[in-house]
Amino acid sequence: MKHPLLRRLSFLLAVCGLALLPMVAAAYDLPDEEQITKDPTQLFACFEYNLEQVQDYTATFIKYEVLDGKPYPEETLKVSFMRPHRVKLEWLDGESRGMWAIYDSQRDPDHFWALDVGWRAIIGVQRYGMHSKFTQFFHPNRFVVTDSDLASLVCVIGHFCELAGSLGTLDTHYNGRVIEQGSGRESFWIHAFLYPEPDPRFMAREADVYLTVDDCMPVNVTLYGWEGQVIGRYIQRDLKLNIGLTTADFAIPE
């Protein structure tokens, strides 16, 4: 069975900051500790507002996943993003090192360009449809280029918290401010129990989310399966906001 994330990310981006809606004019005040303790999901609104103010960013994205009981090798990618919806992914290690994918909504909203690795590299740079089998070449959860970063995943977790809340199964805990090990940054630690048994509406039973204290940006999301085991760990490092990326940074190599 495919990971539910595959079926949901593209739709869910339409309800989160990466949907590239007009920027929100009103300021968003960070809730105090008492408010966060009472309802940790308020921090997701802070994250989404701050994300909407970002014109471009780069980050190192590290992901480890277990699908149908099989662990897949950890991957490290460089992610670049620029409004209005340009995304570049560059794989930095492992068997996929040297692979890249670029999506530019202004150039072609329905396709992306990519260079494979290994024996497939002989075909060179190719254009692929957004739901092309290219996304399945490497392992079963390879999702489309527009959805491949931690910001997208936090938007999805926020949505699932809303869904679990409507079903009466959501149980959230604010575990305080901690130094998140992967990034070394002081972060709010939120634990969300979503749903008690396997259900196609959810990607996981529960999740840990770490959002930085200074700007509510994500640095770690860990997902737990229906038996309590880790099925995904996603870490974001070296996040740089509004650094002045240009269209040249998303040019398609010939």
Side-chain angles (χ1 to χ4, degrees), residues 7-10 14 27 31 35 45 60 81 86 128 130 143 146 164 189 191 200 204 208 224 230-231:
R7 299 193 297 272
R8 302 187 184 280
L9 270 173
S10 294
Q35 292 173 311
T60 301
F81 172 83
R86 294 181 174 93
Y128 298 92
M130 294 305 293
F143 42 88
T146 52
W189 177 11
H191 182 81
D208 284 315
Y224 301 89
V230 173
I231 60 172

Side-chain angles (χ1 to χ4, degrees), residues 171-220:
D171 185 13
T172 57
H173 294 277
Y174 171 52
N175 292 323
R177 301 183 180 203
V178 299
I179 302 298
E180 194 282 318
Q181 294 182 351
S183 67
R185 296 184 64 180
E186 185 179 17
S187 304
F188 300 112
W189 177 11
I190 308 164
H191 182 81
F193 182 93
L194 301 170
Y195 205 74
E197 59 189 25
D199 189 291
R201 293 172 294 181
F202 294 91
M203 69 167 76
R205 187 181 78 173
E206 51 197 301
D208 284 315
V209 179
Y210 296 81
L211 301 174
T212 57
V213 169
D214 52 352
D215 56 14
C216 267
M217 289 292 107
V219 289
N220 187 314

Side-chain angles (χ1 to χ4, degrees), residues 2 8 25-26 46 54 64 81 117 144 148 152 154 161 172 176 186 195 199-200:
K2 289 184 179 179
R8 302 187 184 280
C46 178
V54 174
Y64 164 77
F81 172 83
V117 293
V144 297
S148 299
S152 305
V154 174
C161 283
T172 57
E186 185 179 17
Y195 205 74
D199 189 291

Side-chain angles (χ1 to χ4, degrees), residues 1-225:
M1 183 177 68
K2 289 184 179 179
H3 200 293
L5 183 58
L6 277 167
R7 299 193 297 272
R8 302 187 184 280
L9 270 173
S10 294
F11 167 75
L12 290 171
L13 286 178
V15 296
C16 76
L18 288 184
L20 306 182
L21 297 174
M23 293 179 57
V24 178
Y28 188 93
D29 294 328
L30 182 70
D32 59 31
E33 294 285 316
E34 183 177 350
Q35 292 173 311
I36 296 172
T37 300
K38 184 177 181 180
D39 180 13
T41 63
Q42 294 182 68
L43 290 171
F44 292 127
C46 178
F47 154 71
E48 290 184 14
Y49 171 80
N50 286 349
L51 185 62
E52 287 171 350
Q53 314 314 306
V54 174
Q55 296 302 305
D56 60 74
Y57 67 80
T58 62
T60 301
F61 182 48
I62 303 166
K63 65 189 183 85
Y64 164 77
E65 293 168 309
V66 178
L67 298 172
D68 295 328
K70 178 182 177 180
Y72 284 81
E74 182 179 275
E75 293 185 300
T76 303
L77 299 81
K78 179 182 177 182
V79 178
S80 303
F81 172 83
M82 176 185 170
R83 296 184 188 272
H85 217 170
R86 294 181 174 93
V87 182
K88 181 177 183 180
L89 306 177
E90 301 169 86
W91 278 258
L92 303 179
D93 64 359
E95 294 180 357
S96 297
R97 181 174 182 174
M99 183 173 72
W100 57 260
I102 296 174
Y103 173 75
D104 185 340
S105 63
Q106 300 301 102
R107 180 168 179 172
D108 186 337
D110 300 318
H111 296 83
F112 65 96
W113 285 259
L115 178 67
D116 204 339
V117 293
W119 66 266
R120 297 184 184 92
I122 63 175
I123 65 176
V125 177
Q126 294 291 309
R127 189 180 74 155
Y128 298 92
M130 294 305 293
H131 299 285
S132 166
K133 290 183 179 180
F134 173 84
T135 61
Q136 301 295 319
F137 278 176
F138 303 95
H139 52 73
N141 65 327
R142 179 80 67 198
F143 42 88
V144 297
V145 61
T146 52
D147 304 333
S148 299
D149 70 348
L150 194 52
S152 305
L153 186 60
V154 174
C155 289
V156 173
I157 297 299
H159 169 82
F160 285 142
C161 283
E162 293 181 4
L163 176 59
S166 70
L167 297 173
T169 59
L170 179 65
D171 185 13
T172 57
H173 294 277
Y174 171 52
N175 292 323
R177 301 183 180 203
V178 299
I179 302 298
E180 194 282 318
Q181 294 182 351
S183 67
R185 296 184 64 180
E186 185 179 17
S187 304
F188 300 112
W189 177 11
I190 308 164
H191 182 81
F193 182 93
L194 301 170
Y195 205 74
E197 59 189 25
D199 189 291
R201 293 172 294 181
F202 294 91
M203 69 167 76
R205 187 181 78 173
E206 51 197 301
D208 284 315
V209 179
Y210 296 81
L211 301 174
T212 57
V213 169
D214 52 352
D215 56 14
C216 267
M217 289 292 107
V219 289
N220 187 314
V221 170
T222 300
L223 302 178
Y224 301 89

